[in-house]
Amino acid sequence: MAVKIPLWKKIVKFLLVIVVLVLVAATALVWFSGAWNIIFPSSEHDTKAPWIPADLASPAVLVFSKTNSFRHIDGIEGGNRALGEIADLKGWGLFASENGAVFNEQDLKRFDAVVFLNASGDMLGEDQEQAFQSWLEAGGGWVGIHAAGDGSHASWKWYGENLIGADFTAHILGPQFQRAKVIVESPEHPAASDLPNTWLHSEEWYSWEKSPRQNGFNIVAILDEESYTPVQKFMGNERDLRMGDHPVVWTNCVGQGRAVYSALGHTSEAFDTAEHRQLLANALSWTMGLTEGGCSLPPSP
């Protein structure tokens, strides 16, 4: 005779199944949203350098998108596609990697510019950071995209002082993505070549404690804060993210090297606009030394 299972046991079993399904769904959501490393940040540093093709064209760009903090899955995919198409159009070599061990003296000599494409967190070991710093100060070029300027890089003091120049506070939320007016402030700078004086761009707009202008950085483009709502709305609370002076693209000269940071690039679609692609092409050309101006570099030692 079949044993009759009590109703309460059936209910408990059903509830356990629901709990397991919710946990699995929540874990999958965290993983696929890119937020896994915010909850479980990593300090893993690669030790074996990747193989770089011997026939890599010159000048060459290294696109680095390692994420030991939040991972912009969509933005990294779109950025790699856009940068690859720009490199093909210009006849540049391009090598994309998420292996931090490529930051060594010999491998960095192969490249004229390095792009931090939404790279985040504690990505590099101290020796790798020093190799990059020495390479850049000796005449390399750097382009930072979106998350390259967020708060996950706080432990790398040289990086923050020389490449970003401002402390990240937060990004807009509620809605997270808004269309805003970008205003070119330095049209004479090579990074702004062929850009319109103003254009509209949809983005997860970042804010910082203060403008990097105050630390001597050259501002290429700013946001019109009247063109969107610079507020973070979360769980019933609102945080005003207005800066007054709100740069989104800026440059700096570091020793013999050149650096450009752009806050654009959270989503794949952000890389499809003509203005953003022009900005990236300009930034790469300038940081690789293919266009002149924009820096009063010290004489070579």
Side-chain angles (χ1 to χ4, degrees):
M1 187 175 71
V3 177
K4 186 176 181 180
I5 301 175
L7 178 61
W8 70 269
K9 286 189 175 181
K10 292 181 179 180
I11 294 174
V12 169
K13 184 177 180 180
F14 174 76
L15 291 176
L16 286 174
V17 170
I18 295 298
V19 168
V20 170
L21 290 175
V22 168
L23 288 174
V24 170
T27 300
L29 178 63
V30 169
W31 178 264
F32 287 107
S33 70
W36 184 266
N37 280 342
I38 289 183
I39 302 172
F40 306 105
S42 173
S43 294
E44 178 184 355
H45 300 140
D46 304 293
T47 57
K48 185 177 180 180
W51 175 79
I52 302 172
D55 60 351
L56 185 67
S58 180
V61 179
L62 169 63
V63 179
F64 183 64
S65 54
K66 183 171 183 176
T67 50
N68 275 350
S69 185
F70 186 88
R71 183 169 182 82
H72 293 70
I73 299 171
D74 196 38
I76 290 173
E77 179 182 348
N80 271 314
R81 182 184 67 252
L83 291 166
E85 291 173 359
I86 291 170
D88 287 344
L89 182 65
K90 299 288 188 178
W92 301 335
L94 185 142
F95 179 74
S97 179
E98 300 202 348
N99 184 337
V102 71
F103 288 86
N104 62 78
E105 182 179 359
Q106 287 303 117
D107 284 337
L108 285 173
K109 287 180 180 178
R110 302 281 307 277
F111 300 101
D112 300 273
V114 170
V115 178
F116 278 16
L117 172 58
N118 279 315
S120 65
D122 180 11
M123 311 167 296
L124 304 176
E126 290 184 8
D127 290 347
Q128 294 163 357
E129 292 176 352
Q130 185 58 54
F132 172 70
Q133 176 180 335
S134 298
W135 170 85
L136 183 64
E137 291 177 342
W142 177 83
V143 177
I145 295 176
H146 196 60
D150 72 12
S152 67
H153 309 277
S155 63
W156 191 357
K157 186 177 179 181
W158 176 89
Y159 178 89
E161 291 179 350
N162 291 277
L163 303 186
I164 306 302
D167 294 327
F168 175 81
T169 54
H171 61 72
I172 55 171
L173 201 59
Q176 181 179 1
F177 301 98
Q178 296 182 39
R179 195 169 177 84
K181 182 190 291 185
V182 179
I183 303 171
V184 173
E185 183 176 295
S186 301
E188 75 287 349
H189 194 284
S193 179
D194 295 322
L195 287 174
N197 292 331
T198 67
W199 79 89
L200 295 176
H201 182 83
S202 182
E203 191 58 73
E204 176 200 68
W205 296 111
Y206 282 1
S207 288
W208 292 266
E209 287 287 349
K210 61 181 182 180
S211 169
R213 188 193 312 274
Q214 298 183 36
N215 288 322
F217 286 65
N218 175 70
I219 307 305
V220 174
I222 62 173
L223 274 185
D224 177 1
E225 292 187 332
E226 297 300 318
S227 66
Y228 76 113
T229 304
V231 174
Q232 185 183 71
K233 300 177 183 179
F234 184 67
M235 298 183 68
N237 297 314
E238 290 193 12
R239 182 180 181 184
D240 191 341
L241 301 181
R242 290 176 178 84
M243 295 178 62
D245 176 17
H246 197 144
V248 287
V249 183
W250 56 84
T251 71
N252 195 32
C253 294
V254 187
Q256 297 288 322
R258 298 174 175 184
V260 177
Y261 171 73
S262 167
L264 284 60
H266 181 96
T267 65
S268 178
E269 290 78 12
F271 291 92
D272 291 336
T273 68
E275 295 86 357
H276 193 189
R277 290 207 175 195
Q278 184 66 53
L279 172 64
L280 292 172
N282 292 345
L284 286 169
S285 292
W286 182 67
T287 57
M288 290 193 291
L290 302 179
T291 53
E292 295 301 323
C295 263
S296 298
L297 294 175
S300 300

